[in-house]
Every structure is written in structure tokens, then in C-alpha cells.
């Protein structure tokens, strides 16, 4: 049974998954005002991962706010009325903990990993920075320079930049087509007042999820979080002032986006629109992805690297969002070999779109998907991320057994159908390399 924050009585606790012998128990509490707290108990470890997830990312930004979510992520580490930036980092260093954050297209996460005995400290520090950061003008100016350096570093790495170029080619000027970091122009123009307003409007209780996994007691986590958020929960019942900016665009923008760079290697992505994160066919698409370019036995790896030695790195991937998704094939090769590599990528994509995969590929794809999923949950950080992200962006948290069963249930017909739909769409191409004047649309 799925219980949403609106349905669950404030202050009550709901067991999402009972686990076994006290391990893997997932519990959920909704505080008055809408703040959600989810935990997973792992009594055999001596650590805890604690995170606060905000349902805001780069796709929620207007043109004038481009890069604001990531800019704000930096600023939340700069100090609160309770402690300075140095005091925050010193407290975590003193207990051997780690604290960090990341910004994605649709959410931002602030997290810490500590010994189980130091969980109260982690909750206090991370909650304080998320709810009470100062966002002072001098910190905005200092971090502006840091972020401009980060953008320059990102642009200097073609393996990173080609993904931004692909998003821009596929989605155009829609929010999902813009880089998470923003641009030099947008970051240079963002002022303290706009960022502080973005913080006040978006970081409200209904938009936040607190997640923790490890050797913990759920009731203690709830008590500590409630105390840490006490000052900020007075107006937590109000919704954010600015809703999510939708309209990424489900229409494919077939075409080419080529960036001339004097690089030693060409980097390319060939891809198209995928499916949403709640689409039940995502498990079939995952199996297809594994067969096409997900491992050393995949078609792309075998054809491009093993048989012909044309590239060191080649893979396929798929990403899902609230209302759309992407599917892409990446390859890095010598500029002189880009035509041959691109032709093989197109050919293999067309084969899967037209005829699906073999029975052997189906079984290998299932096994790879099962193994990577389970092995990726072997530490507290990944467990915290799974329950936190699920609470934030999914309707329910599927158990590990549920997910494994859904992977196992995928058939050849399922893969063939999703392959025909997704890979049969017009393709978009992004290329970075020394190709001045080259028309890849031909």
C-alpha cells in the first residue's frame, strides 16, 4: 500500500517495508507542515548516512535564474547564525565524517556520512545549513568566482561538455536543455537578492525529504530532525511560491550540434527522447540498454572496441525525468575514425529498433541489471539515496525483491516493443572535436 504525505496523518509513523530480523526496515514519518522523514535500519553496520533532499533542480529555473540551484548548493555551506563555514567543516572533520552535496536536473541533495554515534551531530549540522543559511553578499561574490571556475573546468573536459551539448540539441532552450551549472552570463548576473528569494521560496517543508540509513533508531531520528527544524516549520505548511517549470518538450529535435575544439579525441552522443521515470516499461528499457551498450559483452562494446579497436570508451545510457527522458549512445575516438564509429552506432541502434535482442542478450541484460542494482546498495550512502530519492520523486518505494521481480518479468516482446518505440525515433547527434566547417548532418 502506498501512503502519500497528504494521506498520512501528521506526526504519525508508517512502516513502508517491514524488512527481516530488524534489518532493512523502512519507516516514514510526516511532521506537521509536511516535512517527510524516511529511514532504513541497517543494524550490522557502524555508520549512518544522513541526507536532506530538496525537490528543486536546474529544470525549475527561469532564464534569469539559470544556475541558481547549483549556486545555492554552494552557498549553503558558507555559514549560518549558529556556526561559520569553518566551524561546520571542523566539526565533521573532528569525527572523521564526510559532508557534501550535489545538484541534478530535478533535485538537490545535502548529505553526511558519520559513525552511528555521531548521527546527532550530522543531523544538527546538515539541518542547520539547509534551514538557516545566511546567503550573504560577500559569500555570493566569493562563490561566483568558484562557480565560474567550475564552468570553465567543465567546458574544458569534452567528455562532460558533450552531454550538455546533447541536452541542448535535444531539448533546445527548454529548462532540461540548459546546463546544471548555468552559463557564464547567467552566473555573472545572479545577485544576492534573487538567490536568497529562490532559497526562501523553494526550501520549504513540503519540498524537502529527510532520509537516513544505517545503524539508527527511527524515532530518535524523528526527534532530532523535529528539533533541528523547529524554527523553520512555523510556515512550513505553505506550498512553494513558484511551481516546477514543466514543458521540457516530448517532441524530438532531430539534428546536429557540433562544437569545434582542438582536441585529440572526438566525443559524440547519438540519442533521442526516452521515457518517464514512472513508466512501467523502464525495466524493459534497462535490459535493452544493458544489451546494447551496458557492459563488455554488449553489442556496441564488442563491435566498436573489441572487434575493431576504434574506441576506448563506448556505452549507452538512459535517464528518466518527471515527464520525459533521454536515451543515448556515447563514444570517444580519434577524429579520423568518427565516421566509422558513428556508422556502427547508427547500425546497431537500427538493428535493435527493428528486431530487438536475442534470448541470450535478454538473460545477460537481466543479470547485469539485477547485479548492478543489488551491488549498488551495499553501503549506507546508496541506501539513503534510494529511499530519499524514491520518497521525493516516486509514488511509492518498491522493495528490492519487487524490483528484482520486475526485472525478471521482462520478456523479449517487451524489449522489442520499447526498442521499436524509443530507438525508432529520429536521432539527435552532438559532436565535439577538431571538425571546423564539418557538416555532420550529411
Amino acid at each position: 500500500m502506498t501512503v502519500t504525505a497528504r494521506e498520512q496523518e501528521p506526526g504519525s509513523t508508517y512502516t513502508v517495508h517491514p524488512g527481516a530480523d530488524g534489518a532493512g526496515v523502512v519507516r516514514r514519518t510526516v511532521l506537521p507542515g509536511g516535512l517527510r522523514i524516511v529511514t532504513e535500519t541497517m543494524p550490522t553496520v557502524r555508520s549512518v548516512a544522513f541526507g536532506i533532499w530538496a525537490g528543486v533542480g536546474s529544470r525549475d529555473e527561469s532564464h534569469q535564474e539559470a544556475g541558481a540551484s547549483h549556486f545555492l548548493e554552494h552557498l549553503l555551506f558558507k555559514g549560518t547564525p549558529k556556526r561559520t563555514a569553518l566551524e561546520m567543516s571542523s566539526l565533521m572533520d573532528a569525527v572523521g565524517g564526510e559532508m557534501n552535496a550535489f545538484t541534478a536536473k530535478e533535485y538537490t541533495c545535502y548529505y553526511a556520512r558519520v559513525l552511528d554515534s555521531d548521527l546527532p551531530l550530522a543531523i544538527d549540522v546538515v539541518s542547520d545549513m539547509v534551514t538557516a543559511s545566511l546567503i550573504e553578499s560577500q559569500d555570493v561574490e566569493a562563490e561566483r568566482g568558484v562557480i565560474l571556475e567550475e564552468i570553465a573546468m567543465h567546458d574544458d573536459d569534452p567528455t562532460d561538455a558533450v552531454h550538455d551539448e546533447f541536452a541542448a540539441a535535444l531539448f533546445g532552450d527548454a529548462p532540461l536543455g540548459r546546463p546544471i551549472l548555468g552559463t557564464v552570463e547567467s552566473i555573472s548576473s545572479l545577485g544576492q537578492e534573487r538567490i536568497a528569494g529562490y532559497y526562501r521560496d523553494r526550501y520549504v517543508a513540503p519540498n524537502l525529504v529527510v532520509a537516513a540509513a544505517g545503524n539508527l533508531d527511527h524515532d530518535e531520528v524523528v526527534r532530532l530532525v523535529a528539533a533541528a527544524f523547529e524554527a523553520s516549520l512555523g510556515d512550513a505548511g505553505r506550498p512553494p511560491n513558484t511551481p516546477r517549470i514543466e514543458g521540457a518538450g516530448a517532441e524530438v529535435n532531430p539534428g546536429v550540434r557540433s562544437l569545434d575544439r582542438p582536441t585529440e579525441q572526438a566525443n559524440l552522443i547519438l540519442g533521442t527522447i526516452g521515457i518517464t521515470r514512472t513508466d512501467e516499461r523502464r525495466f524493459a528499457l534497462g535490459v535493452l540498454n544493458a544489451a546494447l551498450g551496458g557492459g563488455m559483452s554488449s553489442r556496441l562494446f564488442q563491435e566498436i572496441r573489441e572487434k575493431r579497436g576504434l574506441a576506448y570508451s563506448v556505452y549507452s545510457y538512459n535517464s528518466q525525468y518527471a515527464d520525459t527522458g533521454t536515451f543515448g549512445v556515447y563514444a570517444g575516438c580519434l577524429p579520423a575514425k568518427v565516421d566509422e564509429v558513428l556508422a556502427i552506432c547508427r547500425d546497431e541502434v537500427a538493428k535493435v529498433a527493428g528486431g530487438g535482442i536475442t534470448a541470450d542478450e535478454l538473460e545477460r541484460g537481466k543479470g547485469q541489471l539485477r547485479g548492478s542494482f543489488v551491488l549498488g546498495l551495499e553501503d549506507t550512502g546508496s541506501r539513503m539515496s534510494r529511499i530519499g530519492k524514491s520518497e521525493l520523486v516516486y509514488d511509492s518505494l518498491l522493495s528490492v525483491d519487487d524490483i528484482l521481480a520486475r526485472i525478471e518479468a521482462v520478456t523479449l516482446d517487451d524489449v522489442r516493443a520499447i526498442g521499436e518505440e524509443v530507438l525508432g525515433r529520429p536521432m539527435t547527434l552532438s559532436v565535439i572535436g577538431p571538425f571546423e566547417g564539418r557538416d555532420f548532418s550529411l
Side-chain angles (χ1 to χ4, degrees):
M1 181 179 66
T2 299
V3 178
T4 66
R6 185 174 298 174
E7 294 168 339
Q8 187 171 339
E9 183 179 347
S12 65
T13 296
Y14 170 69
T15 299
V16 182
H17 293 301
D21 299 324
V25 178
V26 179
R27 301 178 73 196
R28 179 179 189 265
T29 296
V30 180
L31 294 181
L35 182 68
R36 290 163 285 172
I37 304 172
V38 289
T39 68
E40 182 170 2
T41 305
M42 302 170 64
T44 60
V45 301
R46 287 299 312 274
S47 66
V48 177
F50 175 83
I52 299 179
W53 296 71
V56 58
S58 62
R59 74 166 301 175
D60 300 297
E61 302 159 354
S62 65
H63 272 289
Q64 296 76 19
E65 297 167 335
S69 300
H70 176 255
F71 206 145
L72 184 57
E73 175 214 310
H74 279 237
L75 290 171
L76 262 58
F77 285 85
K78 303 302 287 184
T80 72
K82 189 174 181 178
R83 51 176 69 94
T84 66
L86 177 59
E87 288 170 337
M88 285 193 289
S89 58
S90 296
L91 285 170
M92 297 303 294
D93 286 346
V95 298
E98 59 176 281
M99 184 171 64
N100 212 330
F102 62 86
T103 304
K105 297 280 189 179
E106 296 186 325
Y107 48 80
T108 308
C109 177
Y110 305 84
Y111 65 91
R113 292 182 68 239
V114 293
L115 297 179
D116 50 12
S117 58
D118 296 314
L119 177 58
L121 173 66
I123 291 176
D124 186 29
V125 171
V126 179
S127 299
D128 183 37
M129 61 184 281
V130 169
T131 62
S133 281
L134 295 172
I135 318 293
E136 295 185 326
S137 296
Q138 63 268 29
D139 293 328
V140 171
E141 294 310 314
E143 284 306 302
R144 191 190 312 279
V146 173
I147 294 170
L148 290 174
E149 290 292 338
E150 189 176 356
I151 291 174
M153 181 177 67
H154 180 85
D155 289 346
D156 280 345
D157 186 347
T159 60
D160 286 338
V162 73
H163 287 274
D164 282 347
E165 293 298 312
F166 175 70
L170 188 62
F171 294 116
D173 196 33
L176 279 177
R178 302 178 201 143
I180 292 172
L181 300 181
T183 65
V184 171
E185 294 75 20
S186 67
I187 295 303
S188 298
S189 64
L190 277 173
Q192 185 270 343
E193 287 188 10
R194 182 176 287 273
I195 297 174
Y198 192 84
Y199 175 47
R200 289 192 302 269
D201 291 343
R202 306 306 183 104
Y203 278 60
V204 294
N207 256 5
L208 300 177
V209 169
V210 174
N215 190 18
L216 55 81
D217 176 77
H218 177 83
D219 293 335
E220 181 189 16
V221 172
V222 170
R223 179 179 59 80
L224 293 170
V225 169
F229 272 75
E230 182 178 10
S232 64
L233 288 177
D235 64 345
R238 66 180 178 88
N241 292 339
T242 309
R244 162 151 289 165
I245 297 175
E246 303 289 356
E251 297 297 323
V252 184
N253 295 308
V256 176
R257 191 177 176 95
S258 179
L259 190 61
D260 179 50
R261 290 274 185 86
T263 57
E264 295 296 322
Q265 186 181 57
N267 290 267
L268 65 91
I269 294 179
L270 177 71
T272 187
I273 293 289
I275 60 176
T276 68
R277 70 162 62 92
T278 56
D279 194 316
E280 288 299 318
R281 301 171 299 170
R282 65 189 183 273
F283 301 102
L285 188 60
V287 173
L288 182 154
N289 178 61
L292 178 62
M296 294 178 65
S297 66
S298 67
R299 293 191 184 191
L300 290 172
F301 193 93
Q302 286 296 312
E303 292 296 327
I304 293 176
R305 174 168 169 168
E306 292 298 287
K307 292 182 180 179
R308 297 175 175 85
L310 294 173
Y312 175 76
S313 179
V314 56
Y315 59 85
S316 63
Y317 67 94
N318 70 94
S319 303
Q320 283 109 35
Y321 306 110
D323 54 353
T324 187
T326 60
F327 189 97
V329 171
Y330 165 87
C333 64
L334 292 175
K337 298 178 179 179
V338 70
D339 288 331
E340 189 176 358
V341 170
L342 184 55
I344 296 171
C345 290
R346 291 188 185 276
D347 185 49
E348 293 303 322
V349 166
K351 287 179 181 177
V352 174
I357 62 178
T358 68
D360 286 343
E361 287 176 321
L362 176 70
E363 293 308 313
R364 286 202 303 272
K366 288 181 180 181
Q368 183 181 347
L369 211 56
R370 289 193 303 264
S372 61
F373 168 65
V374 173
L375 293 177
L377 295 177
E378 293 296 299
D379 63 87
T380 57
S382 59
R383 292 272 178 161
M384 181 278 291
S385 294
R386 185 174 105 84
I387 61 176
K389 183 178 176 182
S390 292
E391 177 64 40
L392 190 67
V393 302
Y394 288 101
D395 293 332
S396 62
L397 173 66
L398 295 177
S399 70
V400 172
D401 289 339
D402 286 338
I403 291 177
L404 294 179
R406 295 192 185 200
I407 294 172
E408 184 57 36
V410 172
T411 67
L412 282 173
D413 287 340
D414 294 334
V415 175
R416 185 177 297 110
I418 194 66
E420 181 179 0
E421 177 180 334
V422 173
L423 301 186
R425 293 169 178 159
M427 289 285 159
T428 295
L429 173 67
S430 65
V431 183
I432 294 181
F435 302 114
E436 184 178 5
R438 174 76 175 275
D439 186 1
F440 281 94
S441 64
L442 301 177

